[in-house]
Amino acid sequence: MSRYDVIIVGAGIVGLGTAHRLLEARPSTRLLILEKESTVASHQSGRNSGVIHSGIYYKPGGLKAQNCRTGYLQLLDFCRTYGIAHDICGKIIVATRPDELPRLEELHRRGVANGLMNLQWLDPVQMREIEPNVAGIRGLRVTETGIVDYPGMSLKLAELIQQRGGQIRLGEPVINLIRSSHGCEVTTPQGTYAARTIVTCGGLQSDRLARQTHPQLPMRIVPFRGEYFKLVPERHYLVKNLIYPVPDPAFPFLGVHFTRMVHGGVEAGPNAVLAFGREAYRKTDFNLAETYETLAWPGFRKVATKYWRTGFGEFRRSWSKAAFVRALQRLLPAIQSEDLVTGGAGIRAQACLRDGSLVDDFYILEDRDVIHVCNAPSPAATACLSIGSHIGGMVLPHLN
Ligand SMILES: Cc1cc2nc3c(=O)[nH]c(=O)nc-3n(C[C@H](O)[C@H](O)[C@H](O)COP(=O)(O)OP(=O)(O)OC[C@H]3O[C@@H](n4cnc5c(N)ncnc54)[C@H](O)[C@@H]3O)c2cc1C
């Protein structure tokens, strides 16, 4: 059996960021990453909006806020060092109705508390100087927001990890994870590997991995598909950079927006519809066992009872392009259905507790030599190097 100091399960950007930071801190670490797919960043890390978040949304003091701010600077440094495409182009958050104004002010307060610089209030005229086609009654300009190539960053991280002696085995799903008399062991269809410490960074599968050592885990991942449209090239001029609505505090991840992509093009979306499978990227994909698992989870049933109206609205926008376009027109009245063509989709891993609460912050379960990253929601891509240092700091004491 091959033996390592650390095995990381999952080569998304959190697993890769953790491996990178560990090898920087302790170059002699014998490290293995096991990834079930044939490429790194196949799921959330390679199918997201490509935004470098500034930290304006998050509750001051929480892990999200802290790691987003430190991770932001570390990400910029990484991108500059290794030539990863990025652009700090700024974004505007646009209030279109008076009832959104207090929420926009709350965002401003959070931004200031989280140490954001150069936040600017905009009246409608000032908004249109930045985004000539936008409609709204007040805007907040967040100059620190940017866009980046996360798949490119993930590939670079993988390259650096391998250069430093780390191994990455692709196409090896971990099917069993146990503690043994000599540490921990994981099994894949290709073999069994032992390590002093195991870190799971399984994204959409995080609860399944955590349940291998914590069968009573009071949390399940509920998958929400986010669908994007692309603006046809002739209408790219409608969007200069990033235009966002004011988020609903109950569902900060809801609200379709416009994002200029770092390699060109403009995306609109994503919505958030319950996915009938953890990797059900197409509307018609249906995984019976996984759908049953979601519906049977008491926490999900509580969420569905409470928020069925919101969920229904998202379904409507998923099946009706006209409804999707109407949501976009609140921000950009000139946009028409024929300006949009179907784009890709990502699936968000939403951690849901048995009591029906949705876990908002990062949630890392540490039990001696096994560390499970159970919830790494947005802005985990922005924050990956900072979360990586944080998790690395939890691992190092086990190696000394
Ligand atoms: C639609 C969408 C838009 C987003 N936009 C942004 C954004 O603009 N900016 C931002 O900062 N964040 C964004 N996020 C959030 C961000 O993408 C995620 O928080 C981040 O990518 C999580 O990384 P991860 O490594 O934890 O998970 P993942 O990228 O999902 O990686 C988990 C990996 O584990 C592997 N795995 C799972 N089970 C096993 C197993 N048993 N054996 C081996 N391997 C396994 C999977 O194959 C996968 O590669 C967005 C997310 C979504 C879904």
Side-chain angles (χ1 to χ4, degrees):
M1 190 192 316
S2 311
R3 291 181 190 285
Y4 296 86
D5 291 323
V6 182
I7 292 177
I8 294 177
V9 183
I13 207 158
V14 173
L16 293 166
T18 302
H20 177 66
R21 287 308 203 199
L22 259 172
L23 289 169
E24 272 182 345
R26 190 177 182 275
S28 62
T29 305
R30 286 168 301 153
L31 182 141
L32 170 67
I33 301 182
L34 292 167
E35 166 56 52
K36 72 184 175 74
E37 305 295 347
S38 57
T39 55
V40 303
S42 292
H43 292 289
Q44 297 176 97
S45 305
R47 293 168 164 268
N48 60 31
S49 297
V51 173
I52 308 174
H53 287 297
S54 62
I56 190 161
Y57 295 121
Y58 317 119
K59 211 179 272 172
L63 278 178
K64 265 190 186 181
Q66 290 164 24
N67 284 288
C68 187
R69 285 310 286 165
T70 47
Y72 174 91
L73 296 172
Q74 294 171 4
L75 178 137
L76 289 192
D77 189 43
F78 186 92
C79 290
R80 286 180 194 128
T81 306
Y82 297 107
I84 307 298
H86 69 290
D87 182 4
I88 301 302
C89 53
K91 79 170 171 190
I92 58 173
I93 306 174
V94 180
T96 53
R97 295 188 315 245
D99 62 296
E100 292 175 338
L101 293 175
R103 282 192 260 143
L104 193 59
E105 276 166 22
E106 173 57 19
L107 281 187
H108 184 266
R109 268 192 294 279
R110 282 192 178 187
V112 171
N114 288 337
L116 267 73
M117 286 174 296
N118 205 17
L119 290 171
Q120 295 163 11
W121 284 113
L122 305 170
D123 63 25
V125 174
Q126 292 167 320
M127 271 195 283
R128 280 193 291 275
E129 281 164 12
I130 299 165
E131 290 287 352
N133 298 288
V134 85
I137 54 176
R138 200 177 190 199
L140 184 59
R141 185 181 197 185
V142 188
T143 52
E144 288 178 272
T145 302
I147 50 179
V148 66
D149 174 7
Y150 284 124
M153 179 171 175
S154 302
L155 283 171
K156 179 50 79 177
L157 283 167
E159 187 188 316
L160 293 171
I161 290 163
Q162 286 166 318
Q163 275 169 11
R164 291 187 174 132
Q167 286 180 38
I168 302 179
R169 297 181 70 102
L170 300 171
E172 281 208 47
V174 167
I175 47 179
N176 198 20
L177 192 170
I178 55 160
R179 284 207 169 83
S180 68
S181 47
H182 6 262
C184 329
E185 287 173 17
V186 292
T187 305
T188 75
Q190 283 89 330
T192 297
Y193 308 90
R196 294 163 74 184
T197 305
I198 291 181
V199 183
T200 69
C201 304
L204 287 152
Q205 315 290 340
S206 67
D207 56 335
R208 289 180 169 164
L209 287 162
R211 268 171 20 226
Q212 301 260 344
T213 54
H214 291 73
Q216 302 307 323
L217 186 79
M219 183 215 102
R220 290 290 179 280
I221 289 295
V222 176
F224 283 95
R225 191 174 58 252
E227 296 152 332
Y228 294 88
F229 280 97
K230 286 183 184 160
L231 232 62
V232 294
E234 311 84 74
R235 298 285 269 175
H236 283 175
Y237 72 90
L238 287 175
V239 177
K240 301 281 173 225
N241 288 304
L242 277 63
I243 308 175
Y244 275 59
V246 180
D248 176 345
F251 297 102
F253 53 85
L254 291 189
V256 286
H257 48 261
F258 293 95
T259 310
R260 178 166 69 79
M261 305 307 288
V262 79
H263 292 304
V266 176
E267 284 190 348
N271 54 3
V273 280
L274 180 69
F276 297 121
R278 295 183 185 220
E279 295 168 10
Y281 288 104
R282 287 168 308 181
K283 273 195 211 350
T284 48
D285 287 348
F286 187 80
N287 181 316
L288 183 62
E290 290 184 350
T291 304
Y292 176 76
E293 198 185 4
T294 298
L295 298 180
W297 178 240
F300 172 74
R301 293 207 300 269
K302 287 182 184 137
V303 174
T305 310
K306 199 164 164 195
Y307 298 112
W308 65 269
R309 214 180 277 274
T310 311
F312 182 72
E314 290 297 312
F315 262 110
R316 199 155 46 89
R317 275 187 286 281
S318 171
W319 286 97
S320 157
K321 189 177 179 189
F324 198 100
V325 172
R326 271 198 301 281
L328 293 172
Q329 280 171 336
R330 279 185 49 207
L331 296 172
L332 214 67
I335 198 99
Q336 299 299 323
S337 184
E338 56 274 21
D339 299 336
L340 298 166
V341 290
T342 304
I347 298 188
R348 198 177 289 274
Q350 176 62 59
C352 175
L353 300 183
R354 182 177 280 281
D355 67 4
S357 38
L358 300 175
V359 185
D360 179 54
D361 212 341
F362 299 132
Y363 171 32
I364 301 171
L365 187 64
E366 182 181 17
D367 183 10
R368 292 168 290 151
D369 42 9
V370 179
I371 296 166
H372 295 292
V373 179
C374 295
N375 196 40
S378 182
T382 305
C384 65
L385 293 172
S386 176
I387 308 170
S389 297
H390 179 81
I391 301 168
M394 296 163 98
V395 170
L396 287 173
H398 295 285
L399 306 182
N400 296 327

